[in-house]
Amino acid sequence: MLDFFTIFSKGGLVLWCFQGVSDSCTGPVNALIRSVLLQERGGNNSFTHEALTLKYKLDNQFELVFVVGFQKILTLTYVDKLIDDVHRLFRDKYRTEIQQQSALSLLNGTFDFQNDFLRLLREAEESSKIRAPTTMKKFEDSEKAKKPVRSMIETRGEKPKEKAKNSKKKGAKKEGSDGPLATSKAVPAEKSGLPVGPENGVELSKEELIRRKREEFIQKHGRGMEKSNKSTKSDAPKEKGKKAPRVWELGGCANKEVLDYSTPTTNGSPEAALSEDINLIRGTGPGGQLQDLDCSSSDDEGAAQNSTKPSATKGTLGGMFGMLKGLVGSKSLSREDMESVLDKMRDHLIAKNVAADIAVQLCESVANKLEGKVMGTFSTVTSTVKQALQESLVQILQPQRRVDMLRDIMDAQRRQRPYVVTFCGVNGVGKSTNLAKISFWLLENGFSVLIAACDTFRAGAVEQLRTHTRRLSALHPPEKHGGRTMVQLFEKGYGKDAAGIAMEAIAFARNQGFDVVLVDTAGRMQDNAPLMTALAKLITVNTPDLVLFVGEALVGNEAVDQLVKFNRALADHSMAQTPRLIDGIVLTKFDTIDDKVGAAISMTYITSKPIVFVGTGQTYCDLRSLNAKAVVAALMKA
């Protein structure tokens, strides 16, 4: 039984609607529009919303959308056939009203489609019932029954006989092979180990004997030279071991007191002064304002200038023929027209580090978007598909919710509470480093930061954050802020409960008046169930305002696996009724990938969450905001 069936235009005008139940279809259809149609995720023609399954079909020629909804526990096999039949009949019946392409004509038009729809629904239901169940194939119908019984009987003596026959045939061939080949095979008798001489039927000339004796002499003396070389090599380490080790000027010493960096410091004590160069630590550029990501390079600009020069020197006749080649000419696009272009686009996306499944879904979404669309006279299939793919990629990189940390922090200040951000991710992606960059950005904007060291597993994690805190304190000393400590580290050592440390840090920040709490967590693989349970506990207990997933731009298919399993683990191990999932993404190591920026597409597509920050270097100023158009331009570059 269907819950509803609705037909509306892409402009939002509902042309006709069938209501099978009393519940309204507005909520599920609006969710489909927001999550699928506006986000360019039309690779799959089904969408699940709460207890309903929605299936839809796009008519790009007349800009129509056909949507059917039913309970997801039902398996209705006739739904696809029903959508196709309704689409075909509705388009043919009201072609003149739809072709006028005006909102007033659609509003004034009377689409009396109830009786036709009920007839099509009844026919589709009956056709699914008439379909006979598939019966098992009988033995008489199989290919094995057609073979004679004698061909399936195997005796033990057959295979050795066949081998013996084959060996006899091979021996006969060898005996019968006389002539120059046989004599040429008999010449290298020295390989067989027999003495060469007249007794073996082989006579050598004087020159061959001299050459052979010379080779034997070289082999004997060569072995002796190798033995002498081995003996000299074995004696060499003994002589080196007697020498005293060299002492380097900047190498330090193995004194335990000098190498001990884990001096206990109480939470709240000011950090020691820094003796390093502050400019090298800070980097260049404005720290308080995030610059847009720039994916272009000087080599690309030079190539673009060189590519424009030869085009001016071409002849007018050749340029005219090149422009007219491949034009579509006011025809509607079909799957066959776009298949070759989409295959090349899919391979291009995979080569640019987009996950394979995501690339296939993107191309499928573009095909659904363009199928049946009437093209202009002066437009090619390649340019049309490429433009549609670019628009889809830009739309994907601009997801539904935009994260504005500065606005949210000021809102938390008005409520007199700290703004809490939790960082999570796999091992070695740069969580602590980018946490320090975000801390510097917040300090430049005038907010005080408390760093909670909740990575109690990795050796050196607390010392790393202490070093960053000391450097940030040197860049923003209390003297510049009226004696107020702007950045501080909250740590309880190693081997403690991370959720408890985060709770104490938030309480400490509330009492001391800190604006932001940045919680650093231990790196963990997405398949490690105990560590994922601990992360879900930390997020559930402390309810942070923002959960950021830190991922590196070097990954391809692994990005999809990491994000899917992190979200799944947070949902499975959470004790809340509505589990807290990832809110945003920090993309690191973006300066190492050149134009292979596909990880940004994969991560945003799979989570529908925005990329909040992009790490582009090793200094505190190397933090950028994502520029969707620049990323798409780098992605589409050949």
Side-chain angles (χ1 to χ4, degrees), residues 244-478:
R246 178 177 293 180
V247 179
W248 298 93
E249 295 179 0
L250 301 177
C253 59
N255 191 358
K256 187 184 295 184
E257 298 177 357
V258 177
L259 296 177
D260 187 12
Y261 291 97
S262 60
T263 54
T265 57
T266 57
N267 296 316
S269 61
E271 295 290 344
L274 190 68
S275 60
E276 303 178 44
D277 189 0
I278 296 179
N279 293 326
L280 293 177
I281 299 170
R282 183 188 186 279
T284 59
Q289 183 179 3
L290 286 180
Q291 298 178 353
D292 287 338
L293 186 67
D294 186 14
C295 298
S296 61
S297 61
S298 58
D299 298 337
D300 301 336
E301 293 175 0
Q305 291 177 359
N306 294 333
S307 63
T308 55
K309 289 180 181 179
S311 62
T313 59
K314 289 182 179 179
T316 56
L317 186 61
M320 182 63 68
F321 279 113
M323 184 179 66
L324 295 176
K325 183 181 179 181
L327 296 181
V328 176
S330 298
K331 63 169 286 189
S332 59
L333 281 176
S334 62
R335 289 267 180 171
E336 290 75 14
D337 298 332
M338 298 181 289
E339 187 174 359
S340 60
V341 180
L342 288 174
D343 290 342
K344 293 179 182 178
M345 291 292 179
R346 184 187 65 249
D347 297 340
H348 176 76
L349 291 176
I350 294 174
K352 288 298 181 79
N353 229 7
V354 179
D357 295 339
I358 306 299
V360 172
Q361 292 179 30
L362 281 171
C363 293
E364 188 68 21
S365 175
V366 171
N368 293 336
K369 183 180 178 181
L370 294 179
E371 186 179 8
K373 190 173 183 179
V374 178
M375 307 306 302
T377 305
F378 294 98
S379 59
T380 62
V381 177
T382 304
S383 62
T384 304
V385 173
K386 188 174 181 180
Q387 183 180 358
L389 184 59
Q390 285 180 341
E391 293 173 357
S392 300
L393 293 173
V394 171
Q395 192 68 31
I396 287 168
L397 288 174
Q398 296 173 347
Q400 306 170 11
R401 179 175 177 263
R402 182 176 177 267
V403 176
D404 191 349
M405 279 186 63
L406 299 180
R407 181 194 61 192
D408 296 340
I409 292 170
M410 288 187 287
D411 185 40
Q413 279 182 333
R414 286 191 292 269
R415 300 180 183 179
Q416 296 181 354
R417 67 172 185 83
Y419 185 81
V420 183
V421 183
T422 301
F423 295 82
C424 63
V426 299
N427 307 78
V429 294
K431 291 184 294 299
S432 302
T433 303
N434 285 273
L435 181 145
K437 292 180 185 179
I438 295 171
S439 301
F440 176 73
W441 173 66
L442 293 172
L443 291 171
E444 290 285 317
N445 283 280
F447 299 109
S448 58
V449 179
L450 180 68
I451 300 175
C454 295
D455 185 357
T456 61
F457 179 76
R458 177 172 64 89
V462 177
E463 286 75 20
Q464 181 184 5
L465 290 178
R466 184 178 291 125
T467 302
H468 282 304
T469 307
R470 188 173 67 250
R471 291 177 173 179
L472 292 170
S473 298
L475 291 169
H476 286 273

Side-chain angles (χ1 to χ4, degrees), residues 6-274:
T6 181
I7 305 172
F8 58 92
S9 67
K10 289 186 177 180
L13 297 176
V14 180
L15 307 183
W16 178 83
C17 181
F18 166 77
Q19 203 75 28
V21 293
S22 59
D23 296 337
S24 175
C25 64
T26 306
V29 174
N30 287 337
L32 172 70
I33 295 172
R34 283 194 306 268
S35 303
V36 178
L37 300 181
L38 294 181
Q39 293 295 318
E40 300 292 343
R41 301 173 190 272
N44 190 6
N45 66 342
S46 64
F47 171 71
T48 302
H49 176 72
E50 296 178 353
L52 292 178
T53 296
L54 278 69
K55 287 200 172 185
Y56 62 93
K57 184 179 180 63
L58 302 177
D59 187 340
N60 298 300
Q61 184 178 359
F62 298 115
E63 301 289 329
L64 298 179
V65 184
F66 298 78
V67 183
V68 59
F70 55 93
Q71 296 293 322
K72 65 180 180 181
I73 60 173
L74 302 177
T75 55
L76 303 180
T77 58
Y78 60 85
V79 171
D80 293 331
K81 180 180 182 301
L82 177 65
I83 292 180
D84 293 336
D85 294 343
V86 171
H87 169 239
R88 192 180 304 108
L89 182 60
F90 188 86
R91 185 182 59 181
D92 295 341
K93 186 174 183 180
Y94 302 105
R95 180 182 296 270
T96 56
E97 289 88 343
I98 300 171
Q99 280 181 341
Q100 292 179 5
Q101 296 292 334
S102 64
L104 290 175
S105 63
L106 292 177
L107 287 172
N108 296 329
T110 56
F111 300 97
D112 188 9
F113 197 67
Q114 187 78 10
N115 296 329
D116 295 327
F117 173 76
L118 293 176
R119 177 177 57 81
L120 293 175
L121 177 61
R122 188 166 53 252
E123 292 176 357
E125 289 176 347
E126 291 175 357
S127 64
S128 63
K129 294 177 183 178
I130 293 172
R131 187 181 301 170
T134 56
T135 57
M136 291 182 62
K137 187 186 292 185
K138 297 181 181 179
F139 177 74
E140 289 78 9
D141 300 333
S142 63
E143 295 181 358
K144 193 173 183 180
K146 299 176 183 178
K147 294 182 180 179
V149 179
R150 187 178 298 175
S151 64
M152 292 186 287
I153 298 175
E154 295 181 359
T155 57
R156 295 182 180 179
E158 280 186 356
K159 291 184 178 178
K161 286 180 182 178
E162 290 176 358
K163 290 182 180 178
K165 290 179 182 178
N166 293 333
S167 62
K168 287 180 181 179
K169 290 180 181 178
K170 289 179 182 178
K173 286 181 181 179
K174 288 183 179 179
E175 291 175 358
S177 60
D178 297 332
L181 291 174
T183 56
S184 63
K185 289 181 180 178
V187 170
E190 55 185 356
K191 294 182 180 179
S192 62
L194 298 174
V196 179
E199 65 271 13
N200 293 322
V202 179
E203 294 184 359
L204 299 176
S205 62
K206 293 181 179 181
E207 296 177 357
E208 291 176 349
L209 287 172
I210 293 170
R211 180 179 56 78
R212 186 166 174 271
K213 289 179 179 180
R214 187 182 297 142
E215 291 175 356
E216 292 176 356
F217 178 81
I218 292 171
Q219 289 177 358
K220 288 179 181 179
H221 286 275
R223 291 174 184 173
M225 292 293 291
E226 290 176 359
K227 289 180 180 179
S228 62
N229 291 334
K230 289 180 180 178
S231 62
T232 55
K233 288 180 181 177
S234 61
D235 296 334
K238 295 179 181 178
E239 295 177 359
K240 288 184 179 179
K242 296 177 182 178
K243 293 182 180 180
R246 178 177 293 180
V247 179
W248 298 93
E249 295 179 0
L250 301 177
C253 59
N255 191 358
K256 187 184 295 184
E257 298 177 357
V258 177
L259 296 177
D260 187 12
Y261 291 97
S262 60
T263 54
T265 57
T266 57
N267 296 316
S269 61
E271 295 290 344
L274 190 68

